[in-house]
Amino acid sequence: MELLLWLVPWEPSLSVVIVTAVTAMLFVKGCLGCKLFFRQKLFFWTGLLSLYVVSHTQLDYYAEHEFFVHQLKSLVLHHLGPFFIILACPEKALSSGFPIAGKRLLRMVSAWKPVQCLVNVFLHPVAAVIVFVGLIIFWLLPPIHFVAMLDWRIYRLMNWSMAVNGLMFWGLVLDSDSKWSPGSRIAMMLAVVPPQILTGALIFFTPHELYPIYTLCGRAFTGVSSITDQQIGGLILWMNAAMMSVIGILIVIYKELRQPRLILGSTLPTKNST
Amino acid sequence: MHNRLFRARGLVFGRYILTIALMLLLNGCGTEKKWQLHDITGHLPDLRFSMRSDAGQPVTDQTYRGYLVMLFFGYTSCQAECPSTLFRLAKIVQGLGDNAKRARILFVTLDPGRDTPQVLHRYVTAFAAGHAIGLTGSESEIAALAKRYRAAFRPGKSETNDITHSAAVYVFDPQGHARLLVTPDDAIAKAANELRHLLETSR
């Protein structure tokens, strides 16, 4: 019973429910049509569920009222969740689960000039790195963070922008059929590390409270002081930056090494499959 | 051909930039006063509640329409923050001078089990008689109000004496719009000045 109460959304959002449900349905439908490895399904569901759990359960209360929990939530929204979804290579399953009319609409939209321009700009390596890092720093700027934690509309914009940008970035760098070379994709992952470490370290080493909004609205855990909270939050950003990029780089290298021996190049080989 | 296309696109892009720049400029002109306190205008919802006052009567936000409302959350057995905030608010109200009669301090208890209307009444009148009102209600009513203003509160924790609560005082103008936050770091004189200005401009 207690556990079920945890699943009650802290801030009910129809858009989160619809997007999660539609994606899940498309994937299930697609899974029936094309054969997927077990690990692909595992990665996909881990990614999708983790995104849902951090944005639509009671966990959100703690993310709103404790800086380090907020940082953990960002880690899932921007890094882990999208990373796992992309790792599953779900494009084939998702698109085969898509209804014909939807596919036609998607083709029409993607053929539209301004959309193409936007995609070209945002999926350019330099722009992708700048947007990825810029978004993290932007939402952590003290005055911006203050308003984002207070105003539920801006709070939702922050969460959505993090998740969508995470999908875009990891989709760009982990895609082995990408038009960008593995070298440039590895360089992208390396390029996002130093700014994140710097931001995390800056938060960690700041001796005064950078984000007073958590004190003003009240902290979820009374035992954690404001500076400790801030330091843990800084550390999370500091460490996860390097961690995620290293894992990503290893995956790209591994995929490239395995490429010639692969029969179907679209799936990720791991040790289990050999 | 390519050149013309490029130039046309450049023109459209230029127009976008111009529009954005104009919007920013207009925005800049629109702000009248830079508040010394945290300005939260437009970021939090209007004052709305239905609870019981320390006199035992049902009260709503309409009861305090026309008053400058200073809302904050606490509990009477709180050792440090709540008494000091109430003390500071009482001083701020004194600092309002003639405007003091148009200001109300609403103290919402987070411990409705122990803070009965009588206890609340005794507590708030000790600080600011005539200006402060204690509010109580069911745990879910209190939780809903705290959530509305993003104040930390988890129901069912009152026995442990480990109630988390917000440090901010939410200031609403006489029309019930959320306008400012008073924090424990704000000087009393500065806050009183700002609130007086808010009262005078929203007459």
Side-chain angles (χ1 to χ4, degrees):
Chain A
M1 198 58 214
E2 277 282 296
L3 212 70
L4 279 179
L5 285 178
W6 274 89
L7 293 180
V8 176
W10 172 246
E11 283 196 28
S13 155
L14 201 61
S15 37
V16 170
V17 175
I18 291 176
V19 169
T20 313
V22 167
T23 315
M25 264 161 11
L26 287 180
F27 189 72
V28 169
K29 213 173 137 209
C31 275
L32 301 174
C34 54
K35 253 186 92 62
L36 289 179
F37 290 113
F38 171 71
R39 61 167 181 280
Q40 281 182 288
K41 290 180 193 166
L42 185 72
F43 287 155
F44 181 81
W45 290 117
T46 310
L48 193 67
L49 272 181
S50 65
L51 285 182
Y52 179 82
V53 165
V54 292
S55 37
H56 217 238
T57 62
Q58 290 291 310
L59 273 183
D60 206 21
Y61 167 80
Y62 295 94
E64 274 176 24
H65 292 288
E66 199 74 41
F67 179 63
F68 82 85
V69 185
H70 167 82
Q71 286 296 86
L72 282 175
K73 178 181 170 175
S74 304
L75 170 67
V76 173
L77 275 181
H78 203 203
H79 291 74
L80 281 173
F83 192 89
F84 272 112
I85 290 182
I86 296 299
L87 216 54
C89 303
E91 314 82 68
K92 236 172 72 188
L94 286 177
S95 71
S96 76
F98 230 69
I100 306 287
K103 267 189 217 167
R104 202 176 304 145
L105 187 78
L106 213 67
R107 253 203 304 275
M108 230 163 69
V109 171
S110 59
W112 199 36
K113 259 267 144 54
V115 173
Q116 275 182 352
C117 275
L118 223 66
V119 167
N120 280 341
V121 168
F122 274 102
L123 294 187
H124 187 275
V126 177
V129 166
I130 291 174
V131 171
F132 186 83
V133 171
L135 209 60
I136 295 175
I137 295 174
F138 175 76
W139 290 120
L140 282 175
L141 290 174
I144 303 290
H145 198 76
F146 189 90
V147 179
M149 297 313 285
L150 215 52
D151 192 322
W152 66 275
R153 294 158 297 187
I154 302 175
Y155 184 69
R156 287 194 184 176
L157 178 71
M158 171 170 76
N159 292 337
W160 276 104
S161 65
M162 289 296 245
V164 170
N165 180 252
L167 281 172
M168 273 165 50
F169 183 79
W170 296 111
L172 192 63
V173 295
L174 295 179
D175 178 16
S176 46
D177 306 328
S178 163
K179 63 174 175 176
W180 308 103
S181 69
S184 57
R185 286 185 281 130
I186 289 173
M188 283 168 73
M189 279 187 268
L190 282 177
V192 297
V193 174
Q196 287 185 84
I197 288 182
L198 211 66
T199 313
L202 214 65
I203 294 172
F204 180 81
F205 285 115
T206 303
H208 60 267
E209 204 177 359
L210 277 172
Y211 305 107
I213 187 71
Y214 294 94
T215 306
L216 293 181
C217 285
R219 277 200 162 67
F221 308 122
T222 35
V224 184
S225 79
S226 57
I227 292 297
T228 314
D229 182 22
Q230 184 169 305
Q231 286 178 333
I232 302 173
L235 271 183
I236 290 170
L237 179 62
W238 184 342
M239 292 189 301
N240 84 54
M243 174 190 81
M244 292 306 291
S245 285
V246 167
I247 298 173
I249 289 167
L250 287 178
I251 288 172
V252 169
I253 293 175
Y254 190 70
K255 270 188 182 181
E256 286 313 311
L257 290 178
R258 298 268 308 160
Q259 200 94 39
R261 275 184 283 159
L262 267 182
I263 309 152
L264 292 165
S266 60
T267 49
L268 167 83
T270 66
K271 279 200 177 99
N272 310 337
S273 68
T274 51
Chain B
M1 173 64 193
H2 178 262
N3 201 12
R4 226 172 60 210
L5 205 75
F6 187 73
R7 229 183 303 152
R9 200 182 290 162
L11 208 68
V12 172
F13 187 64
R15 254 182 232 157
Y16 272 126
I17 296 274
L18 202 70
T19 319
I20 291 169
L22 263 176
M23 271 162 60
L24 285 178
L25 203 73
L26 285 175
N27 242 341
C29 295
T31 52
E32 318 112 23
K33 180 187 160 65
K34 190 96 181 74
W35 294 98
Q36 303 258 310
L37 302 171
H38 286 291
D39 187 357
I40 53 165
T41 309
H43 291 308
L44 282 175
D46 293 350
L47 188 62
R48 187 151 308 140
F49 65 85
S50 165
M51 302 185 99
R52 238 153 16 104
S53 76
D54 54 19
Q57 260 130 24
V59 285
T60 66
D61 49 292
Q62 287 300 326
T63 318
Y64 304 104
R65 218 20 69 90
Y67 290 101
L68 178 118
V69 170
M70 289 165 262
L71 175 85
F72 88 103
F73 300 89
Y75 52 103
T76 58
S77 51
C78 168
Q79 301 291 325
E81 296 96 331
C82 302
S84 88
T85 307
L86 260 179
F87 177 77
R88 279 163 41 80
L89 285 182
K91 287 273 176 218
I92 290 171
V93 169
Q94 273 177 22
L96 290 177
D98 284 345
N99 287 310
K101 55 182 183 297
R102 293 180 62 213
R104 287 290 177 270
I105 302 164
L106 299 185
F107 177 78
V108 181
T109 179
L110 295 178
D111 189 6
R114 277 183 285 191
D115 292 348
T116 58
Q118 293 80 15
V119 173
L120 271 175
H121 185 74
R122 226 177 311 134
Y123 189 71
V124 295
T125 46
F127 289 97
H131 293 291
I133 297 113
L135 295 183
T136 181
S138 69
E139 231 174 25
S140 59
E141 282 169 339
I142 293 170
L145 186 63
K147 186 174 174 179
R148 191 174 168 86
Y149 297 105
R150 301 229 149 197
F153 176 58
R154 287 307 250 181
K157 273 203 168 172
S158 41
E159 301 85 37
T160 55
N161 238 345
D162 187 29
I163 305 173
T164 62
H165 64 102
S166 48
V169 176
Y170 303 84
V171 178
F172 297 84
D173 66 15
Q175 285 79 41
H177 304 306
R179 298 298 297 273
L180 301 167
L181 278 188
V182 180
T183 72
D185 299 329
D186 294 320
I188 291 172
K190 182 179 85 179
N193 261 333
E194 295 281 288
L195 297 195
R196 197 182 315 120
H197 183 83
L198 179 63
L199 261 172
E200 278 161 5
T201 48
S202 54
R203 225 171 242 285

